[in-house]
Amino acid sequence: MTRIVSMAALVAALSSPVLADNITEPVIEPVPAAPPPPAPYQGGDWTGAYLGGQIGQLDVDPSAGAGGDDVSYGLHAGYNYDFGRFVLGGEVDYDWTDIDLGGAATVDSVLRGKVKAGYDFGRVLAYATGGVAQVDTSLGDETGEFYGVGLAYQMTPQWVLGAEVLEHQFDDIGGSGIGADATSASVRATFRF
């Protein structure tokens, strides 16, 4: 019996290092951390081309006869360059309308070429604008000037909502000797490229 116990002890002693080499500790893979949520959009870069639409109110006050106002709607396209806190841009916009000036004439549309200069507050751009406008009426066309102010808010990197108020002056519509002052106020939705 001692022989059997001795043999078993010898086999156990000789096989222990062999079994010990074959036993490896389990490797525990670290669980990757969840990616942090995206930072909220901070805005602030106004450089680039854009295209959008607007709807508003156009009020026309001619130098002779009755004035009128009506809804205007249109399209705009432009390009801004952000110099840091100062933004400079150019834009073309076109508004359709149907304003009756007391039966004497109607105003059909206004085309504008704008220069814009503003201050970059991050997601908000406050700007002044001015340029040349052409009004199309039943009396004929007239080119005049305009100036105004606007405010734009970046909802996302691509979508911008804004508002604009413009004052126009036309001296001699269609050679009729009749001039007009016009005020437009509009809300704008813009897609940036």
Side-chain angles (χ1 to χ4, degrees), residues 48-96:
Y50 59 89
L51 177 68
Q54 68 264 4
I55 186 166
Q57 184 79 11
L58 181 61
D59 182 11
V60 179
D61 184 23
S63 59
D69 60 73
D70 202 353
V71 173
S72 63
Y73 53 93
L75 300 172
H76 59 269
Y79 186 87
N80 287 328
Y81 189 83
D82 194 335
F83 291 93
R85 287 294 183 194
F86 180 71
V87 177
L88 188 62
E91 181 178 297
V92 174
D93 76 19
Y94 187 84
D95 280 335
W96 292 273

Side-chain angles (χ1 to χ4, degrees), residues 53-54 76 91 93 114 127 160-162 164 186-190:
Q54 68 264 4
H76 59 269
E91 181 178 297
D93 76 19
K114 298 179 178 179
Y127 62 90
V160 176
L161 287 181
E164 201 171 67
S186 61
V187 292
R188 301 158 50 98
T190 304

Side-chain angles (χ1 to χ4, degrees), residues 60 66-70 97-108 138:
V60 179
D69 60 73
D70 202 353
T97 191
D98 187 20
I99 300 173
D100 181 13
L101 300 177
T106 60
V107 176
D108 301 317
S138 59

Side-chain angles (χ1 to χ4, degrees), residues 84-153:
R85 287 294 183 194
F86 180 71
V87 177
L88 188 62
E91 181 178 297
V92 174
D93 76 19
Y94 187 84
D95 280 335
W96 292 273
T97 191
D98 187 20
I99 300 173
D100 181 13
L101 300 177
T106 60
V107 176
D108 301 317
S109 64
V110 179
L111 172 66
R112 299 176 194 91
K114 298 179 178 179
V115 174
K116 297 167 48 175
Y119 189 80
D120 178 356
F121 290 98
R123 292 177 81 163
V124 175
L125 175 65
Y127 62 90
T129 184
V132 177
Q134 181 178 2
V135 65
D136 181 28
T137 73
S138 59
L139 297 175
D141 297 342
E142 174 63 15
T143 301
E145 63 273 352
F146 74 92
Y147 61 91
V149 294
L151 196 62
Y153 175 73

